Every structure is written in C-alpha cells, then in structure tokens.
C-alpha cells in the first residue's frame, strides 16, 4: 500500500487571513499537515496561534484564504452547503472547551438527539446513547440535566455524544480547558481511550502539556506554521 493512502486528512499550503478595520491579520501562512487514519494527533500553541481556527477549517465551519484541506480525497472548501452538512454529520464528532449540552435535556437525551436527527430510528438511537453513556461511566446519571452534573461529567457526556454517529474523525478543542487538573486528567484519559477503542482519528488542540503527552503525534503551531515535535519518534 502506498504510504499516502493512510492519510485521512491532508492540509496543503494553508493560508488564513482576517481583515479588520483596514488591517490584515495573517493566522496561517503555508501551513502543511498530514494526519494518518487512526492517529491521535495533538496540536499545541500559544493563545491566539490559530489552533481553534484550524479545527474550524478542518470541520468546514470556516474556510481558508488559500490552500486546501483534503478529506479522503475531497476538498472540503469545494463542498456545497448541503454536502458540508452531510460531511459533518457523517464524518465528524466534536468536543469543545464548553460542553454545549442542551440545558433542558438530560444527559441521555443530549447523546440521543444527534443520532435521532441523523435519521437513526428512535429505539436504536436511544440504545446507542445508553451504551455510550455507560462507556463513559455515567449510566447512573442518565436522567440528570447538565446543571446537575459536574464539569467533568458534562465533558464525558460530550465525549459520548461525539461518538454517537460513529464518525471517522473527532475534533477536540481544549476539551479540558475549564477543568481542574485531576478532573482534566481523567477526562483526557476517557477521550483518548474511547478514540483508541473505537479506532477513531483524533485531532485535539490544547495548551495543556500533560494532556498533549497522551497523543501519539504532536505538533506545534508557531508563526503561522506547523512544526513537528522534535522528540517524536
């Protein structure tokens, strides 16, 4: 097999600029990154280095000024809005710094809804949600609203939700950024172990170097470009 066939994501010559009040801010300039299928890729960088912007571009939530993001042979920025919606629904699981759980729905319902809305029959969607809630150790909290859960529990629900539609890729944006160190460590362990167990590709951005060490490949965003961790084997 050609080595390139193992890449699920290829970013080539990516440039992203923002224009505000007559000024041009360059976030990326000639950024290149290839991500292997099944890898657990961590990207670190200072605040404002563009980590979240990069995830938004990969997820089709934002678009590059120039360059390409290629997903399994398809250029994401060339997809029409309906195709983008299908791409995100079928291929992506998202975990954010802020859990974005629906406050009026239980933990179980927050996991169930994305599957049900994607067309999974109600009974099957509920069974999948219950299974994943159990996988992250929260089966006894299934009837609790987000306000009744701790920060770590809410993030575990978010991890379960990211997996409910069986995506190929999980994008995680500072998933432990609002948690205390002990809870952050436990939450990071669950995220990485679930990605490994279900053979998902994970791209995670963080400023938490303890969390970053859990990845099997690490990169640094600096001066608008990606630098491979020199200690990486």
């Amino acid at each position: 097999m050609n080595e390139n066939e193992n890449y699920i994501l290829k970013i080539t010559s990516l440039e992203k600029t923002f224009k505000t009040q007559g000024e041009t801010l360059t976030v990326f300039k000639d950024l290149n990154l290839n991500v292997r299928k099944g890898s657990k890729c961590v990207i670190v960088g200072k605040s404002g280095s563009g980590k979240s912007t990069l995830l938004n571009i990969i997820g089709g939530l934002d678009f590059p000024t120039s360059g390409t993001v290629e997903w399994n042979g398809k250029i994401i920025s060339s997809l029409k809005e309906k195709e983008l919606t299908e791409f995100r629904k079928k291929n992506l699981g998202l975990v954010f710094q802020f859990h974005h759980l629906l406050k009026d729905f239980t933990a179980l319902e927050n996991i169930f809804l994305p599957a049900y809305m994607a067309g999974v029959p109600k009974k099957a969607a509920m069974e999948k949600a219950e299974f994943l809630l159990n996988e992250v150790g929260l089966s006894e909290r299934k009837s609790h609203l987000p306000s009744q859960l701790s920060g770590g529990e809410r993030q575990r629900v978010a991890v379960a939700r990211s997996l409910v539609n069986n995506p190929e890729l999980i994008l995680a944006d500072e998933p432990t950024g609002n948690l205390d160190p002990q809870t952050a460590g436990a939450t990071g362990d669950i995220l990485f172990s679930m990605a490994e167990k279900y053979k998902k590709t994970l791209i995670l951005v963080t400023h938490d170097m303890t969390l970053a060490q859990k990845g099997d490949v690490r990169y640094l965003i600096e001066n608008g470009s990606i630098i491979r961790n020199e200690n990486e084997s």
Side-chain angles (χ1 to χ4, degrees):
M1 177 183 291
N2 188 305
E3 182 181 83
N4 289 335
E5 292 179 11
N6 287 324
Y7 291 128
I8 196 170
L9 187 76
K10 298 179 72 174
I11 300 174
T12 307
S13 302
L14 190 71
E15 182 173 322
K16 180 64 178 178
T17 59
F18 294 98
K19 292 186 178 180
T20 56
Q21 299 178 340
E23 294 185 26
T24 299
L25 170 65
T26 299
V27 181
F28 305 129
K29 187 174 183 180
D30 195 30
L31 184 148
N32 298 278
L33 176 66
N34 291 334
V35 178
R36 291 187 183 282
K37 186 172 184 177
S39 67
K40 311 298 176 285
C41 174
V42 176
I43 300 170
V44 299
K46 295 179 180 177
S47 247
S49 61
K51 301 187 301 295
S52 295
T53 300
L54 180 59
L55 283 195
N56 286 339
I57 291 173
I58 292 171
L61 300 170
D62 197 356
F63 297 98
T65 304
S66 63
T68 59
V69 178
E70 186 178 334
W71 166 266
N72 281 333
K74 292 182 178 180
I75 306 298
I76 293 175
S77 59
S78 70
L79 299 177
K80 296 177 181 178
E81 188 57 42
K82 186 176 180 180
E83 293 172 321
L84 267 176
T85 300
E86 286 299 305
F87 160 73
R88 287 191 290 262
K89 185 164 61 176
K90 292 181 178 179
N91 299 297
L92 296 183
L94 305 172
V95 183
F96 302 97
Q97 179 175 355
F98 302 99
H99 52 82
H100 292 302
L101 300 179
L102 299 173
K103 65 183 180 66
D104 296 324
F105 291 84
T106 66
L108 182 63
E109 289 167 340
N110 266 282
I111 302 168
F112 156 82
L113 280 171
Y116 185 59
M117 292 174 68
V120 177
K122 184 175 182 179
K123 184 173 184 289
M126 189 61 75
E127 288 174 352
K128 184 71 177 289
E130 291 203 40
F131 174 79
L132 288 170
L133 199 60
N134 182 63
E135 285 285 87
V136 298
L138 290 176
S139 57
E140 295 180 359
R141 310 286 275 171
K142 68 180 182 180
S143 299
H144 287 64
L145 297 173
S147 61
Q148 298 170 313
L149 301 173
S150 69
E153 288 172 337
R154 288 193 289 265
Q155 285 301 80
R156 280 193 271 166
V157 173
V159 170
R161 179 184 59 187
S162 75
L163 288 161
V164 73
N165 283 332
N166 195 28
E168 284 194 77
L169 174 65
I170 297 172
L171 301 179
D173 188 357
E174 297 281 7
T176 63
N178 287 335
L179 305 176
D180 65 80
Q182 182 175 355
T183 305
T187 303
D189 286 343
I190 286 173
L191 175 57
F192 277 90
S193 66
M194 293 287 278
E196 181 65 28
K197 181 174 183 177
Y198 293 106
K199 296 178 170 50
K200 305 302 179 186
T201 305
L202 172 65
I203 301 177
L204 180 147
V205 302
T206 185
H207 66 273
D208 181 345
M209 296 310 297
T210 301
L211 179 62
Q213 294 303 312
K214 300 180 190 295
D216 52 38
V217 59
R218 292 178 292 278
Y219 297 93
L220 169 68
I221 291 186
E222 191 172 74
N223 298 322
S225 296
I226 286 276
I227 302 170
R228 180 80 178 263
N229 188 322
E230 292 180 357
N231 296 323
E232 201 66 37
S233 57

